[in-house]
Each structure stands twice: as structure tokens, then as C-alpha cells.
Amino acid sequence: MKDNYPPDFKYEDFGPLFTAKFFNVSQWADIFQASGAKYIVLTSKHHEGFTLWGSEYSWNWNAVDEGPKRDIVRELEVAIRSRTNLHFGLYYSLFEWFHPLFLEDKSGSFQKQKFPAAKMLPELYELVVKYQPEVLWSDGDGGAPDSYWNSTGFLAWLYNESPVRDTVVTNDRWGDRCICKHGGYYTCTDRYHPGHLLFHKWENCMTIDKFSWGYRRDAEITDYLTIEELVKQLVETVAYGGNLLMNVGPTLDGTISAIFEERLRQMGTWLKVNGEAIYKTHPWRFQNETFTPDVWYTSKPKEKLVYAIFLKWPISGQLVLAQPTAIPGETEVKLLGHAQPLFWTSLKPNGLMVQLPRLSIHQMPTRWGWALKLTNMM
């Protein structure tokens, strides 16, 4: 701020600069639908306390009173529910950097609960009742315990009495030391990847921009993850039992920049072909292939299906899978997006070698990773 804004420029002076002049909610919804996502999470309020709806508890510091003069949350909620099949979710920061009541509570080691009673809890109840999110993504405990936030009381209401009690899903950030211990699903850390199978649902919340959760005007092309890197993140995450939450930062004009839109649409293109190996799958008994690098497994146990997702097409045209055990005469191997079953041979003591079809680059089902569908495996 000192380097780029006038003297005495304060944080609240950013409010009028946030215009959302080109915010086209239908376009946003169409991009999210095209991405292949199944749910979205909008940041309804971050740590600076600016709410993207006209909260009566955030007087004159919200998107209806200041800046856009629009209820961003409502507009997006309506568009998502009317134009897409995505589940609508909201992120909410518990604490606020500048709020005098929070700072007062903090200075007293959180012995008093002035801020949760006057601001946070009423606002959170308002948000849930008004917009009925199916995902409630809590964040920013400010170093305060869950007892300060009255998280257990709020969650009891959320799951037993609220309008979304039968549909809502929550994460694990409801107070100091709650993270990765409690919650409908774990987030643990930003860009979380356990590196092993977790037996509790978890989410890898990460950014397409390697360095920022917001939009950066000075970002260079190498600062963005490539579609190959994003597909790898998705595949690894799902193989270990997680969901992927990919963050994009819109501009102050309310637009999603072309680089973000391209990545989202590319992911959707990939999922149109390979989504069967991602959606509604479970981790298999092996998460990745030990013999051939960059091969990851998912499964559908009820259908007796195993999917082997490989990120590098072998030059030899032969893919060796050491983990599955095939049954001669029963096991069938198909490449998703390619009609004909593939020829395979058993390896000893276990495994199989799959003969991939000879395809030109234009005949490839996708360009950034492929999935084999293995039927009737042992």
C-alpha cells in the first residue's frame, strides 16, 4: 500500500475501488458448470470483515452498502441453483483483522465473547438462514478456541434445527486445534496432501496461482499451474480419498481472468472423458502403481471396477500394471473415450501388461492423462 497508493490510504479505502462493474453471474455459473465441478465455495467474508451480502451486522462495510452495491452472494446462489447442477457452498472467516470487539477480546486472552455475540454468530446464523449453503467452509479462528466461538452450539443448531440440517456439510476449522480433528471433512492445511490414505473424508484446498488466493496483476505465466499439473493434483487427491477445491481469484471488476477460465474449462474437458474414474469413486487397496510411475488407482467396489489413471503415455505403447491381478477370460480392459477393449497379457506373479491403441494426437481421448477401466479384477 505504501508503494502503490497515496499517503494516508487506509484499508477501508479499497471498498469503493471494488466495483464488480463487469460481474456477470450467468457467465460465472456457466464457467463453473463447464469445469466439471460438483460444488463451489464462495468467500462470503474474509478476514477484513467485508461481507459480500448486505449483512445488518456489517453496517457500511459490505457489498450492498459499499463498492458494487449488489448482493453478490444472492446473485451467485440464484445463478448456481437455476443454471447448474452444482452444490452451493459458502466460506466464512470467523475472526476479523480490524474489528475493535475482536481485538478487545483477543487482548483479554478471549475470556470475554463480545465479538462472537455481537458480530460473528448473528452473522453466521443470518448467512445460513438467508442463503442455505450446502457446504459451510469455516476459516480463520484467530487463535481462539472453539469455546470462544461457541462452535459446538452453532453446529448443534446447524445440524439439528437449521434449514440445511439434512444437506449441509462442514469442514474442520471451528477453533484453535480443531483442524484435522473434527468436522465433516478435514482440510488440515492449505494445499493439503497427506501422502497416504486417510479414512476420514478430506479436501485439498489449493490455488491455480501457485502463490496467491487472490488475483495478482503482476502474476507471470509460470506462476500458474499448468493443466497437466492440475490434473495430477486431482488424480492424486482422489486416489487418496480426497476432494479437490481449486481456487481462482476474481478481479475487482468482478471478472474471472482468461487464464483461470481456460484452466477450469480444460479440467472440464478432461472430466467429460475421464470423470467416470473420478466421480463417486473410492480409494482402491493400492493408491498408486509401484512399478510404473505416475499411475494412480480409483475404484467402484459395488460394480467391481478398478480404474488405472496414467499421466504419461508410454513410448512403447505398453503399460505395465503390477498391482492388479487379472482373470483370464473374464477381465476386460478399456481406455475411457476409446470404444474397443484392449489386449492384455498376465504377468507373473501378478499384474498385467496392457497394449494401448495406436492413436495419433488428434485421436487421443484427452491430452493430459488417460484412464483404463478394469472390469472383473481379483
Side-chain angles (χ1 to χ4, degrees):
M1 287 168 62
K2 287 178 182 177
D3 291 343
N4 295 288
Y5 293 89
D8 302 320
F9 187 90
K10 297 180 176 60
Y11 193 95
E12 49 266 33
D13 294 329
F14 281 118
L17 299 182
F18 170 44
T19 64
K21 182 167 61 173
F22 302 122
F23 177 50
N24 182 333
V25 72
S26 298
Q27 185 182 47
W28 278 37
D30 293 347
I31 291 170
F32 300 149
Q33 179 77 28
S35 76
K38 293 298 182 184
Y39 62 101
I40 69 145
V41 180
L42 172 71
T43 302
S44 69
K45 185 200 80 170
H46 203 251
H47 308 327
E48 82 291 281
F50 189 93
T51 65
L52 292 189
W53 79 101
S55 172
E56 62 178 279
Y57 306 100
S58 189
W59 179 79
N60 220 31
W61 189 234
N62 64 71
V64 174
D65 293 336
E66 186 67 273
K69 306 290 178 72
R70 300 167 70 171
D71 187 337
I72 303 293
V73 178
R74 175 66 78 203
E75 289 187 37
L76 188 60
E77 181 241 338
V78 170
I80 291 297
R81 288 180 166 149
S82 63
R83 297 180 69 91
T84 78
N85 58 9
L86 278 74
H87 296 281
F88 180 71
L90 292 172
Y91 165 109
Y92 180 87
S93 170
L94 300 178
F95 90 112
E96 295 179 18
W97 284 324
F98 312 123
H99 203 288
L101 291 181
F102 175 75
L103 297 175
E104 183 184 336
D105 287 350
K106 186 177 181 180
S107 67
S109 301
F110 302 115
Q111 295 304 303
K112 294 182 179 179
Q113 296 174 286
K114 290 184 178 180
F115 177 72
K119 178 70 157 69
M120 184 278 286
L121 284 167
E123 202 164 71
L124 206 44
Y125 283 113
E126 177 188 55
L127 193 66
V128 171
V129 171
K130 202 169 182 180
Y131 305 104
Q132 302 190 15
E134 293 174 274
V135 178
L136 190 58
W137 216 104
S138 175
D139 192 27
D141 57 45
D146 67 278
S147 56
Y148 169 75
W149 300 113
N150 193 23
S151 296
T152 51
F154 171 78
L155 289 167
W157 170 82
L158 184 71
Y159 281 114
N160 292 288
E161 300 174 44
S162 80
V164 292
R165 59 187 177 274
D166 296 324
T167 55
V168 73
V169 177
T170 60
N171 66 334
D172 56 350
R173 302 188 183 192
W174 293 95
D176 188 34
R177 283 178 273 219
C178 283
I179 195 167
C180 223
K181 292 181 181 176
H182 305 285
Y185 60 93
Y186 295 158
T187 60
C188 298
T189 62
D190 293 343
R191 304 177 181 85
Y192 178 64
H193 199 298
H196 58 87
L197 182 61
L198 287 189
F199 293 98
H200 188 89
K201 194 64 187 180
W202 62 279
E203 181 185 74
N204 174 4
C205 179
M206 44 71 72
T207 58
I208 293 178
D209 181 335
K210 299 174 191 175
F211 306 105
S212 175
W213 296 86
Y215 173 76
R216 293 190 301 133
R217 287 182 296 170
D218 62 343
E220 299 178 3
I221 192 66
T222 53
D223 293 342
Y224 299 107
L225 292 173
T226 64
I227 184 58
E228 290 86 355
E229 291 170 321
L230 288 170
V231 167
K232 185 174 182 179
Q233 286 251 352
L234 173 67
V235 171
E236 289 185 15
T237 297
V238 174
Y240 285 124
N243 285 2
L244 188 69
L245 189 64
M246 284 194 326
N247 177 79
V248 302
T251 69
L252 59 84
D253 293 321
T255 62
I256 295 173
S257 65
I259 189 76
F260 289 141
E261 180 178 349
E262 181 187 53
R263 293 291 185 272
L264 291 171
R265 290 187 181 278
Q266 285 173 323
M267 186 65 89
T269 299
W270 189 85
L271 283 165
K272 273 184 181 175
V273 176
N274 299 295
E276 182 185 335
I278 298 294
Y279 301 130
K280 297 182 180 179
T281 60
H282 297 260
W284 193 43
R285 64 175 181 265
F286 297 100
Q287 283 69 67
N288 63 319
E289 177 57 54
T290 54
F291 186 85
T292 305
D294 287 316
V295 178
W296 299 86
Y297 292 107
T298 61
S299 71
K300 291 182 178 174
K302 289 182 181 178
E303 294 91 339
K304 297 182 179 179
L305 294 174
V306 174
Y307 297 93
I309 307 169
F310 57 106
L311 303 177
K312 293 179 181 176
W313 192 279
I315 296 173
S316 66
Q318 296 174 330
L319 186 69
V320 175
L321 303 176
Q323 307 295 10
T325 302
I327 307 170
E330 293 187 33
T331 297
E332 184 178 76
V333 180
K334 280 190 171 182
L335 176 68
L336 294 186
H338 182 75
Q340 300 302 317
L342 306 183
F343 178 77
W344 59 269
T345 53
S346 290
L347 301 175
K348 293 183 179 180
N350 51 32
L352 68 159
M353 182 173 69
V354 180
Q355 183 66 51
L356 298 174
R358 294 185 178 182
L359 302 173
S360 71
I361 193 166
H362 300 294
Q363 294 171 318
M364 290 277 189
T366 54
R367 292 168 55 191
W368 314 297
W370 306 267
L372 294 180
K373 178 180 182 179
L374 312 175
T375 310
N376 296 324
M377 305 294 300
M378 283 182 65

